Amino acid sequence: MNSLVLAVVGVAMILLGYFLYSKYISRRIFKLDPDYETPAHRYEDGVDFVPTNKWVLWGHHFTSVAGAAPIVGPAVAVIWGWLPAFLWVTLGTVFFAGMHDMGSLWASARHKGLSIGTLSGKYIGRHGRNLFLVVIFLLLLMVNAVFAVVIAGLLVSTPTAVIPTWGAIAVALVIGQAIYRLKWNLPVVSVVGVVALYGLMLLGDAFPIVLPDTILGLSATAFWIVVLFLYAGVASLLPVWVLLQPRDYINGLQLFIGLGILYLAIIISSPAVVAPAVNQNVPEGTPSLFPLLFVTIACGAISGFHGIVSSGTSSKQLNREPDARLVGYFGAVGEGLLALGTIIATTAGFRTLAEWESVYAAFNDGGVAAFVSAGGDILNAGLGIPSSLSATILATMAVLFAATTMDTGVRLQRFVVSEIGEIMGVKINVLVSTLVVLACTMGLAFGAGGDGSGGMVIWPLFGTTNQLLAALTLSIIAIMLIQRRRPVLPVLVPLVFVLVVSIYALIVQMGQFLAEQNWLLLGLDLVILIAAVWVVVEAASSMNRARREPAVDENAEADELDPSTRM
């Protein structure tokens, strides 16, 4: 199989999804209204509620939801062969992820920018909301811990990425001032920002930053993890326009350019896919393809984390309701294209099948390192970019994806902590909630992997929890559509499929954790499974009730929830 065929077919399928299917669901299912007053205008406060240019918001949303997951997941999952991963990413992006992301953005915007956790209280019930928040908190806990470990590992293994990683923060701060304070022309700011980022990559390639083995009693990886969490804590407290929006926007442009470079290299070099379409000779200890493929690849096909971002930050910045199509669905398209590029890089970036098998000698031996190494070889072969600079570009892409997700993830987890406090009758200070988040996430990052270097043991449970939350979010969207007497099948099909594979995977993993005597993950698995089953039962009851009740009055729904609870 030639990689060019995979690239052309895959990109065509995903883009057709945006130009055709997303137009259908935005008009017929969600009925996006250009005259609807969005929360960004109704509650504008200059901090969280900020009406935002749809392209700037797309940049924030895309980079926040993508993270390292659409690289890590597919780069691990190709061990089962390229075909299952290819089909799940392309079909999942078109029919699952786009619907989920646009739907959760629409649902939140229709309810004052409330989080999906709070909406679960309205549509599923008080008990369902409490358990929903538990699942969200645990997912964000794993997202922040996993991505910190991924970034730290890349900064150690690819020291040329250190300067562009931290230099991107300075670029974003300047861009934020240029857009919002100085009112500079957006295209000019965009070009200057992208040029600055790629200039930092050249600088980083020339001057790699290698830390000593031990710093303040910590390993280099552990030191980077601590620094990353301190940065994310500070970033989460700043107004979104100061750092979050401009960082995500300029990173989004740079990352799309990086994807363009990767695909251009694939077109020019057209390397052969050496990995099997379906791997019949998987290494010993590799779990079964079903259901593990569908939770190993979460981001890039469908991801519950996207619903948290859509309802946590993006819905509060939505300028016009129809912008949800570009921000939500096209954000999922961007992630799908990244996952597709990862599949091609990690199956065609090797000279022989034997070389590929040597890298994929065990289930978790793939990942970001395989993407950077194999993708770098494709850039070198297709565009003549030196191997070191190729690795720097791809490693920086992965780091910036993960870092922007951490920025948003810590902010969102702070919202959840405050929300849990309100349910318990305790008003939690913003600084206190941030400290709670940092303590919990660092505790998991180090507790799951000693000095942090082994924190990727969290990954299997992260993927399952992520997909489970996507199913629970789709259940809320389905209830809203049933109440409005709109077509619900496009939501129910992804809902049922993802729910079945997620719960099945949780049960399978519970047996694995028990056999390995991994009590930390076993305990988390059990809590998530119990909460999920309970919420599913409550959601099914709510759907049945919604069918019997009169259709809702959409003009009155905005006043049904207390504005003081919006998160």
Side-chain angles (χ1 to χ4, degrees):
M1 170 66 72
N2 190 293
S3 59
L4 182 58
V5 175
L6 283 185
V8 171
V9 173
V11 171
M13 289 173 64
I14 292 173
L15 290 182
L16 281 174
Y18 176 71
F19 289 113
L20 299 178
Y21 189 60
S22 75
K23 185 177 292 186
Y24 164 75
I25 60 177
S26 65
R27 291 180 177 177
R28 295 292 304 277
I29 308 298
F30 300 127
K31 298 184 179 180
L32 304 181
D33 182 1
D35 296 324
Y36 180 78
E37 184 183 24
T38 63
H41 288 283
R42 186 179 301 178
Y43 306 112
E44 184 173 358
D45 60 8
V47 179
D48 292 315
F49 291 82
V50 180
T52 304
N53 176 283
K54 64 181 180 180
W55 290 103
V56 174
L57 182 55
W58 166 82
H60 154 70
H61 184 81
F62 166 52
T63 53
S64 294
V65 301
I71 296 174
V72 177
V76 171
V78 293
I79 198 167
W80 288 297
W82 61 262
L83 182 58
F86 174 83
L87 291 175
W88 177 225
V89 163
T90 51
L91 296 177
T93 296
V94 172
F95 296 108
F96 288 51
M99 164 66 75
H100 172 276
D101 293 13
M102 192 198 305
S104 52
L105 186 54
W106 164 76
S108 177
R110 281 280 165 170
H111 293 88
K112 305 179 179 181
L114 289 165
S115 72
I116 204 70
T118 302
L119 288 183
S120 66
K122 172 180 171 60
Y123 289 101
I124 299 179
R126 181 171 59 86
H127 295 300
R129 175 200 60 188
N130 296 345
L131 293 167
F132 206 105
L133 287 174
V134 169
V135 176
I136 291 175
F137 180 82
L138 291 176
L139 176 61
L140 287 171
L141 189 68
M142 288 183 275
V143 165
N144 293 326
V146 167
F147 285 0
V149 172
V150 169
I151 296 170
L154 281 170
L155 293 179
V156 171
S157 64
T158 314
T160 54
V162 173
I163 289 179
T165 293
W166 297 105
I169 298 172
V171 173
L173 289 170
V174 172
I175 286 176
Q177 296 297 317
I179 293 176
Y180 290 100
R181 286 284 177 83
L182 303 178
K183 307 296 183 182
W184 286 6
N185 181 272
L186 184 59
V188 172
V189 174
S190 303
V191 171
V192 172
V194 169
V195 170
L197 284 180
Y198 276 94
L200 286 169
M201 290 183 202
L202 292 172
L203 187 64
D205 188 54
F207 300 99
I209 305 297
V210 180
L211 297 183
D213 293 337
T214 304
I215 306 173
L216 301 175
L218 299 172
S219 69
T221 300
F223 176 79
W224 280 129
I225 290 174
V226 172
V227 171
L228 283 163
F229 276 121
L230 291 176
Y231 156 73
V234 173
S236 73
L237 296 172
L238 296 174
V240 291
W241 67 268
V242 173
L243 179 59
L244 186 69
Q245 276 187 1
R247 175 177 166 84
D248 290 355
Y249 171 65
I250 203 64
N251 283 345
L253 292 179
Q254 181 271 138
L255 295 166
F256 240 70
I257 292 171
L259 274 177
I261 292 173
L262 178 60
Y263 277 104
L264 180 60
I266 291 170
I267 292 171
I268 294 174
S269 61
S270 300
V273 176
V274 299
V278 178
N279 191 5
Q280 303 288 351
N281 188 33
V282 296
E284 185 177 353
T286 300
S288 61
L289 183 151
F290 187 88
L292 270 299
L293 169 73
F294 301 98
V295 297
T296 301
I297 301 179
C299 298
I302 183 172
S303 165
F305 178 70
H306 294 199
I308 305 176
V309 175
S310 291
S311 64
T313 57
S314 298
S315 65
K316 298 174 178 62
Q317 303 169 57
L318 194 68
N319 185 41
R320 297 172 65 252
E321 193 174 64
D323 292 351
R325 179 179 172 229
L326 176 75
V327 176
Y329 199 102
F330 198 64
V333 165
E335 188 174 72
L337 292 175
L338 176 59
L340 176 62
T342 299
I343 292 170
I344 295 172
T346 53
T347 57
F350 300 89
R351 288 184 291 272
T352 64
L353 174 59
E355 183 180 336
W356 180 82
E357 289 178 334
S358 69
V359 172
Y360 285 86
F363 178 59
N364 284 319
D365 282 357
V368 177
F371 168 74
V372 171
S373 174
D377 287 343
I378 292 177
L379 292 185
N380 178 255
L383 300 176
I385 301 175
S387 298
S388 175
L389 181 56
S390 296
T392 301
I393 292 173
L394 294 180
T396 303
M397 278 180 59
V399 167
L400 293 182
F401 265 124
T404 50
T405 298
M406 274 192 70
D407 288 1
T408 303
V410 171
R411 182 182 292 260
L412 292 172
Q413 197 169 11
R414 170 166 62 80
F415 290 167
V416 173
V417 169
S418 298
E419 199 165 348
I420 292 173
E422 287 186 5
I423 291 172
M424 298 173 64
V426 178
K427 187 171 181 61
I428 302 178
N429 179 276
V430 171
L431 183 58
V432 172
S433 62
T434 302
L435 292 175
V436 169
V437 168
L438 296 181
C440 291
T441 48
M442 279 197 282
L444 183 59
F446 286 94
D451 66 351
S453 59
M456 280 303 292
V457 297
I458 310 166
W459 184 264
L461 192 55
F462 158 72
T464 307
T465 310
N466 201 10
Q467 299 299 64
L468 187 58
L469 183 59
L472 299 180
T473 300
L474 286 171
S475 70
I476 292 174
I477 297 171
I479 294 170
M480 290 180 63
L481 293 176
I482 292 171
Q483 288 183 337
R484 288 153 183 75
R485 304 300 186 262
R486 296 182 189 174
V488 75
L489 193 61
V491 178
L492 285 181
V493 171
L495 164 59
V496 172
F497 180 82
V498 175
L499 183 63
V500 169
V501 297
S502 300
I503 292 181
Y504 186 11
L506 274 172
I507 295 171
V508 170
Q509 288 174 330
M510 188 179 296
Q512 293 174 346
F513 298 147
L514 181 62
E516 297 167 358
Q517 296 188 345
N518 190 329
W519 309 122
L520 171 64
L521 294 189
L522 178 63
L524 288 174
D525 193 314
L526 187 60
V527 169
I528 293 165
L529 180 60
I530 293 172
V533 171
W534 194 330
V535 173
V536 168
V537 172
E538 297 258 6
S541 174
S542 298
M543 286 184 199
N544 188 47
R545 187 167 56 251
R547 288 189 179 93
R548 299 194 307 267
E549 293 175 347
V552 300
D553 179 2
E554 293 193 36
N555 294 324
E557 72 169 350
D559 297 324
E560 291 178 8
L561 294 172
D562 183 357
S564 66
T565 65
R566 68 180 188 270
M567 299 298 298

